[in-house]
Amino acid sequence: MIKRILLSFAALVAVMSLAGCGYNSMQQQEEEVFAAWGNLDASLQRRADLIPNLVATVKASAAHEKDTLQAVIEARSQATQVKLSPEMLTDKVALAKFQAAQGKLSSALSRLMVVVERYPDLKASQNFLGLQHQLEGTENRINVARQRYNAAVKTFNFSIRKFPNSLTNSVALHLERKEFFQADPGAKEVPKVNFETKS
């Protein structure tokens, strides 16, 4: 009888200690990181899908701006070739390579928008305006998705380091710290504004 009570008590203590060890919460937080990455990846894919339509629209009105259009096409191609799976979110080098490809695409799109300023007919086109609004909305979605991904990473990284989760992780789960999505290297530079037009 006493043996049965002691076994029941030991089982109760074991269950209570598992409930507070963070085993489930750390796995849930890792899944939240993966979900946030999936949302960011979907926004980046949406941008890549819009670019061929944008380039085709600009080509019709600005045929002699081939270099800029070609740079956008090549940057899109490179950005879509660099893939990053959720399992690679712990690899700093892979994430840096992915971000560099996306940054190159952002830079090429910025140059394209500057080119567009030279073509009033293009800016007035309903097709172009619709694409431009979609692209601007996509850029906003990407920014929000980056922030949400980084917030999920911050929560997860802290969770696997705090006690008693750190103990549970080192013994049972072996989850690794995830990497943050960094700002583009040129993001801290002050943009140059130039209102001069070429004659």
Side-chain angles (χ1 to χ4, degrees), residues 39 42-44 46-47 50 109 113 128-145:
N39 291 337
S43 293
L44 293 170
R46 184 177 193 274
R47 175 174 68 176
L50 282 172
L109 283 172
M113 291 306 171
F128 177 75
L129 287 175
L131 281 170
Q132 186 178 24
H133 290 308
Q134 285 190 43
L135 203 54
E136 287 168 358
T138 300
E139 292 298 323
N140 288 336
R141 284 187 186 98
I142 290 170
N143 187 45
V144 169

Side-chain angles (χ1 to χ4, degrees), residues 51-196:
I51 288 170
N53 294 331
L54 179 65
V55 168
T57 304
V58 174
K59 263 185 185 176
S61 296
H64 61 282
E65 296 289 354
K66 288 180 183 172
D67 291 345
T68 303
L69 294 170
Q70 191 60 36
V72 171
I73 292 166
E74 288 172 9
R76 177 195 178 268
S77 175
Q78 289 174 3
T80 56
Q81 287 176 4
V82 179
K83 300 291 183 194
L84 194 67
S85 68
E87 294 76 27
M88 298 169 70
L89 295 177
T90 57
D91 186 345
K92 194 170 192 165
V93 174
L95 189 58
K97 192 183 285 188
F98 181 84
Q99 286 183 230
Q102 293 299 327
K104 196 171 183 181
L105 179 55
S106 294
S107 177
L109 283 172
S110 296
R111 287 194 304 277
L112 178 61
M113 291 306 171
V114 169
V115 164
V116 167
E117 292 299 317
R118 297 186 205 146
Y119 299 96
D121 292 343
L122 178 59
K123 286 190 292 182
S125 159
Q126 288 301 316
N127 288 339
F128 177 75
L129 287 175
L131 281 170
Q132 186 178 24
H133 290 308
Q134 285 190 43
L135 203 54
E136 287 168 358
T138 300
E139 292 298 323
N140 288 336
R141 284 187 186 98
I142 290 170
N143 187 45
V144 169
R146 282 178 183 156
Q147 291 171 356
R148 288 180 179 162
Y149 168 75
N150 282 344
V153 167
K154 179 182 175 186
T155 300
F156 172 76
N157 286 348
F158 175 69
S159 179
I160 64 172
R161 292 177 62 199
K162 74 178 181 180
F163 186 82
N165 292 10
S166 58
L167 187 61
T168 304
N169 190 40
S170 65
V171 172
L173 294 172
H174 310 290
L175 300 174
E176 294 182 48
R177 181 184 180 279
K178 307 298 185 236
E179 292 297 326
F180 288 97
F181 205 96
Q182 304 290 328
D184 293 331
K188 293 180 182 175
E189 293 177 17
V190 177
K192 295 174 183 171
V193 178
N194 185 355
F195 291 106
E196 293 178 16

